Amino acid sequence: MSPYDPSAFPPFAVTVDLVVLTVRHHALCALSVRRGEPPFQGRWALPGGFVRADEDLSQAAARELAEETGLRAQSGAHLEQLATYGDPQRDPRMRVVSVAHLVLAPDLPAPRAGGDARSARWAPVGTLLGEDGPDHPGDAPPLAFDHARILADGVERARSKIEYSSLATAFCPPEFTVGELRRVYEAVWGVALDPRNFHRKVTGTVGFLVPTGGTTTRQGGRPAQLFRAGGATLLNPPMLRPEV
């Protein structure tokens, strides 16, 4: 076996980038930070940063989330690796490979900037991706690096997974109404759903929702039944996304 020579291979860095999604004011929103340092100083970007030599990817993701925004990984939040991005020209500093993570959580608090971020905010994904039309244009210039592609991939992952899994409940508090869950689907998919048909589907899917025995009037009107997420991870039949 020939000896391994590390110097025979070009060095490169590994980063983590975070697509953090939540539903705020009935809209699917993503966390973004304004870069305080070059490259792309002053541009909006996804939170993230370089992986340290003594940490694994999940530790790096949690650290960057806290450092740049003040947000802590919640036990009720959903976290998964999204994809790896390795275009040789994606970062002008050096060869950088990014391992993106997707975070889904209920309405999160206002972020605070830190690390190399000048400021942080929640913004509708349509605004960040320039999809809101001429009356609500997206940010100009666009997101730094290849973060528009990463964000778009994360949004599509979320939209697809709530069709066949119970992942939509990750956007809800521990106890929620069917109406609140429906508004999550509407925000993520960007469509309006028939309330009666939606109620029939979600309450008729085995293991999706479990009644808590309680009710609430927080949405106004008559008391609404409260549910929590059931044990099912896959939905059968799936909640098919309407064609737009």
Side-chain angles (χ1 to χ4, degrees):
M1 182 176 179
S2 59
Y4 171 72
D5 181 10
S7 65
F9 302 93
F12 66 92
V14 178
T15 62
V16 290
D17 289 310
L18 306 175
V19 179
V20 186
L21 300 178
T22 192
V23 175
R24 293 171 63 86
H25 310 299
H26 308 303
L28 181 64
C29 295
L31 185 61
S32 59
V33 297
R34 191 184 292 275
R35 290 185 56 80
E37 300 176 359
F40 304 106
Q41 185 172 7
R43 295 263 290 271
W44 289 102
L46 298 176
F50 289 95
V51 178
R52 295 173 179 171
D54 61 347
E55 62 185 358
D56 62 23
L57 294 173
S58 60
Q59 291 172 332
R63 175 182 54 78
E64 284 293 338
L65 183 64
E67 285 182 357
E68 295 204 15
T69 69
L71 299 177
R72 302 287 177 180
Q74 295 181 334
S75 58
H78 173 84
L79 172 65
E80 66 175 73
Q81 282 193 22
L82 173 62
T84 303
Y85 300 84
D87 189 306
Q89 307 303 320
R90 64 177 303 275
D91 192 316
R93 293 168 291 189
M94 63 179 296
R95 180 71 190 273
V96 177
V97 174
S98 177
V99 182
H101 290 67
L102 177 64
V103 181
L104 309 179
D107 191 5
L108 293 169
R112 63 168 177 78
D116 61 356
R118 182 189 303 173
S119 57
R121 66 170 182 171
W122 293 106
V125 296
T127 299
L128 293 173
L129 295 174
E131 297 175 346
D132 285 344
D135 294 333
H136 300 87
D139 282 349
L143 292 175
F145 303 104
D146 54 356
H147 288 184
R149 176 190 173 191
I150 297 175
L151 175 59
D153 289 348
V155 170
E156 180 54 34
R157 171 75 65 86
R159 287 173 174 167
S160 298
K161 291 196 75 169
I162 66 172
E163 291 191 65
Y164 62 85
S165 76
S166 59
L167 192 58
T169 59
F171 289 106
C172 296
E175 295 186 357
F176 51 87
T177 68
V178 169
E180 290 168 338
L181 181 63
R182 173 173 52 82
R183 282 184 281 276
V184 165
Y185 273 90
E186 291 177 334
V188 176
W189 284 345
V191 298
L193 300 173
D194 179 76
R196 291 187 178 181
N197 190 36
F198 181 84
H199 190 285
R200 177 181 56 81
K201 286 183 177 180
V202 297
T203 56
T205 301
V206 178
F208 191 7
L209 304 180
V210 177
T212 66
T215 60
T216 182
T217 58
R218 62 188 176 218
Q219 298 299 313
R222 295 182 299 176
Q225 188 176 9
L226 285 169
F227 295 84
R228 60 176 174 82
T233 55
L234 297 178
L235 303 182
N236 186 19
M239 299 284 295
L240 297 180
R241 188 184 346 178
E243 295 185 2
V244 180

